[in-house]
Amino acid sequence: MRQELKSLPKTLADDVARNLVMVARLLDSEPEEAYQYSRVALRLASRVAAVREAAGFASYMTQRYSEALTEFRAARRMTGRVDLWPVMADCERGLGRPERALAMAGEPEVKQLDKAGQVEMRLVAAGARSDMEQFDAAVVTLQSPELASPAVHPWTARLRYAYAEALIAAGRGEEARDWFAKAVEADTDGTTNAAERLAEIDGVEFVDALDPEFAEEEAEQAAEPAKRKGSEASDEQVIFEDDEDVEEYYDEDDLEIDEDFDGVVPERATEAEQADKADEAGESGK
């Protein structure tokens, strides 16, 4: 890219380079901002192939597939390279032309791609089959030596993941689970959501422990046993507000009220006093 920018005046080349750096930094996290930087670079240097390619990827990431295809075609004409062929075919899918993407998968340019490019083209072709609801054909399209290989390459996780999704669409859920598991093994960088898909199939739910709603829910669940215990205690201990409550709770036969009771509870005799009274009662009986 630096070599291509040497064709520009020094000051202009620096300005274009700054915008391209921002495109690269923001493309994954903030694609819309990356797109804006790419448009600035495109206005400054539309005759530089690297600028057209960067603009193409920024458009592609923001789903501006028509613009992306235009920029990729321009970059390919300028350089004669074929490495953009798969993403160009995917733009055709994005434009609702999956049959065109399939046609591109059979063009001679595919044979000029490196191994990574050929795998990418296979992924695009399988996606086009799925777009056309040819799910079994999508499964067959992805079956390849690269899929069967136990070796892990940069494309391995995505290939296994796509194959699992194709199996799901074809109604082969049990096989899909195995391939999602294999995708998880290869996906050390988290480029796919294979782990989430596997957990979904197994009925496992992931939660964010830092989510305020989750923390509030956890606190409520922790307080629930205490509330339940307090409720049970209140059920066991009945508090009567007035005489009517007492009368409702007891039957007349269960409670005899002494009309002459003055409210003073007599003192309870000690055990020694009770023993003395018992002796006296015994002697008087004699």
Side-chain angles (χ1 to χ4, degrees):
M1 188 177 291
R2 185 181 293 111
Q3 185 65 32
E4 290 186 31
L5 292 177
K6 285 183 178 180
S7 62
L8 302 174
K10 180 68 168 63
T11 303
L12 179 59
D14 290 344
D15 290 342
V16 173
R18 291 190 184 96
N19 283 280
L20 293 179
V21 167
M22 294 307 298
V23 172
R25 286 182 177 177
L26 298 171
L27 193 60
D28 292 328
S29 59
E30 301 290 342
E32 191 62 40
E33 289 189 34
Y35 173 78
Q36 298 302 327
Y37 280 106
S38 74
R39 303 314 289 181
V40 174
L42 193 59
R43 285 197 301 270
L44 295 174
S46 60
R47 295 181 180 275
V48 176
V51 172
R52 304 301 291 266
E53 183 176 337
F57 276 109
S59 299
Y60 176 78
M61 292 294 288
T62 55
Q63 299 183 8
R64 295 176 170 91
Y65 297 115
S66 181
E67 289 184 21
L69 192 55
T70 297
E71 301 306 331
F72 289 142
R73 285 172 175 170
R76 182 169 178 270
R77 284 196 304 270
M78 292 176 179
T79 62
R81 302 195 332 257
V82 297
D83 54 307
L84 294 174
W85 196 254
V87 72
M88 290 169 62
D90 206 36
C91 286
E92 295 287 359
R93 284 186 60 209
L95 292 169
R97 302 193 292 247
E99 66 285 348
R100 176 58 188 149
L102 282 176
M104 292 179 68
E107 296 290 339
E109 284 82 354
V110 176
K111 295 181 179 179
Q112 301 175 40
L113 296 170
D114 60 11
K115 183 63 67 176
Q118 290 178 4
V119 170
E120 196 67 35
M121 193 70 239
R122 192 177 290 275
L123 290 168
V124 173
R129 291 289 187 188
S130 295
D131 294 341
M132 300 168 68
E133 298 186 356
Q134 299 175 2
F135 303 119
D136 290 328
V139 171
V140 173
T141 299
L142 292 170
Q143 291 173 347
S144 61
E146 292 80 16
L147 179 67
S149 174
V152 176
H153 300 282
W155 65 78
T156 301
R158 293 179 59 239
L159 183 59
R160 293 176 179 178
Y161 180 88
Y163 188 61
E165 288 286 11
L167 288 169
I168 288 282
R172 297 161 61 178
E174 292 184 3
E175 296 177 65
R177 190 209 173 280
D178 294 338
W179 282 99
F180 276 127
K182 292 179 180 179
V184 171
E185 293 176 0
D187 194 5
T188 56
D189 296 330
T191 56
T192 72
N193 65 336
E196 288 81 357
R197 295 288 282 121
L198 182 61
E200 181 182 338
I201 292 174
D202 291 343
V204 178
E205 182 180 356
F206 286 98
V207 295
D208 184 359
L210 300 180
D211 188 346
E213 294 184 2
F214 173 74
E216 183 178 347
E217 183 179 344
E218 283 286 292
E220 291 178 357
Q221 291 178 356
E224 189 62 28
K227 289 181 180 179
R228 218 168 25 243
K229 185 176 180 181
S231 175
E232 292 172 357
S234 63
D235 290 342
E236 293 175 359
Q237 182 180 4
V238 180
I239 300 175
F240 301 107
E241 298 291 340
D242 50 35
D243 293 341
E244 292 182 359
D245 292 337
V246 176
E247 292 175 1
E248 290 179 2
Y249 189 81
Y250 292 102
D251 292 336
E252 292 182 359
D253 296 337
D254 295 334
L255 181 65
E256 294 181 2
I257 299 176
D258 186 358
E259 298 294 341
D260 298 329
F261 178 61
D262 59 2
V264 178
V265 179
E267 294 183 2
R268 188 175 180 179
T270 63
E271 293 181 0
E273 291 174 347
Q274 289 178 356
D276 293 340
K277 288 181 179 180
D279 292 341
E280 291 175 2
E283 291 177 359
S284 62
K286 291 179 181 179

